[in-house]
Amino acid sequence: MGRTDMPQTADWTRVVTHATVATCAPSPAPYGLSENSAVALAGERIAWVGPATELPAVGDGVEVIDAAGALLTPGLIDCHTHLVFAGNRAQEFELRQQGASYEQIARSGGGILATVTATREASEEQLLALALQRARVLMAEGITCVEIKSGYGLDLESELKLLRIARRVGLELPLAVHATLLAAHTCPPEFSGRADDYIDLVVRTILPAAAEAGLVDSVDAFCERIAFSPTQVRRLFDAARRLDIPVRLHAEQLSNLHGAELAAGMGALSADHLEYLDEAGAAAMARSGTVAVLLPGAFYYLGETRRPPVELLRRECVPIAIGSDFNPGSSPLLSLRLAMNMACTLFGLTPEEALCGVTRNAARALGTLEERGTIEVGKLADLVLWDTSHPAELAAEFGTASPSRIYRAGQLLG
Ligand code: DI6
Ligand code: FE
């Protein structure tokens, strides 16, 4: 029998049936939710989605999992982490509790630079072990894809080291990794007072070398008074665009330098933080389809009071994603579930926005929406079966509702 004559189900490998499926795809139903549904997998891809009552008969070789009403969602995506670093900044937490601000600590040589010192001193194997340990914690929450930034090396060798580690995490674990070059995180001590010269080094040496080694999926920068100016960011983004590498930006976290507007104007995948975003910035993001990545962990940990303009983002139809921003200085919380909850409690998102913010819109922020982020035929079978049946629980609570089964590209993780 020729392949075209074979029944549609011939290449199916697994079926999850009697599930409450939240596809997270655009749909009139909140969460794209449907009860008593089935999802069929053919190898690493999703082959069929529909009501369990319409599921075609399947052959003996197909594993059938009866979900008994449990919730099935896309694998979660943490689209903003700084997962590779050494040391910790607990002493800075003490200083801040005594009244020092994040900016004051950064200006006096602490902050990001303290982590740069610890990270430069650590070996590649030590850093890899730390990153793997952290990635496993995220995976246990149902994360199947993570973005990992460099940015605590700030010289050629160290930045390449961090990006290689990001890639190795994706090779050693069943986890998709998007590696982001964040060499423009802050000015390293060797370039103190010479930020333009450091940007020269990033543009002429670090970015081309990292790109040549195949280590860069996107380029990021920290656009802030304590980091880089919009003019410097533009030079870096121009260089990234010449290499055909997508850009994203830490923008409007502590002040409004109009970074989001700049990033959107250059077609950025995302602009992240955005507490100080204004109307022009949101309108520019809407025009370019740039995703707003909200990072409530940093807002919470730094004791900020200014919230990102969620109502404005909704009005402008800017897609909203949520990341953990896991890092030792401003967001030491290794839990995307907690970030989802905080996005609701602190920023006023709905649980549905929170779930779509770590699935569909997070995939979009990583430029991978065609492959991931929703349960739709043809996409990778990155799926999580939960020990709950209602999707609101994923944002309403944390430390509860755990994954009972996780599939990464069709493979059951064990
Ligand atoms: N914004 C942040 O919140 C983190 N990086 C950034 O650009 C902070 C990183 C750190 O303090 O180590
Ligand atoms: Fe960040």
Side-chain angles (χ1 to χ4, degrees), residues 10 13 24 68 71 103 106 110 127 129 139-140 183 204 223 252 283 302 313 339 341 348 370 375 412:
T13 44
C24 297
L71 175 69
E103 286 196 58
L127 288 165
M139 287 172 68
R204 294 195 185 141
C223 185
E252 272 78 276
L302 298 183
L313 293 170
N341 179 263
E370 284 186 8
I375 299 181
L412 177 67

Side-chain angles (χ1 to χ4, degrees), residues 82 89 102 112 152 185 222 250 253 273 298 325 327-330:
H82 306 248
R89 306 242 291 277
Y102 182 79
I112 295 172
Y152 292 115
H185 198 185
F222 190 16
H250 283 71
Q253 179 185 5
H273 286 287
D325 196 17
N327 76 72
S330 71

Side-chain angles (χ1 to χ4, degrees), residues 366-385:
L366 298 183
T368 184
L369 185 57
E370 284 186 8
E371 291 284 83
R372 304 187 167 79
T374 63
I375 299 181
E376 289 178 285
V377 172
K379 289 204 178 181
L380 285 170
D382 289 359
L383 302 167
V384 183
L385 194 62

Side-chain angles (χ1 to χ4, degrees), residues 77-79 293-294 296 320-324 336 339-340 343 349 353-354 357-358:
I77 299 173
D78 193 344
C79 64
V293 178
L294 305 186
I320 300 174
I322 299 160
S324 69
L336 189 59
M340 289 167 71
L349 264 61
E353 286 172 322
V358 298

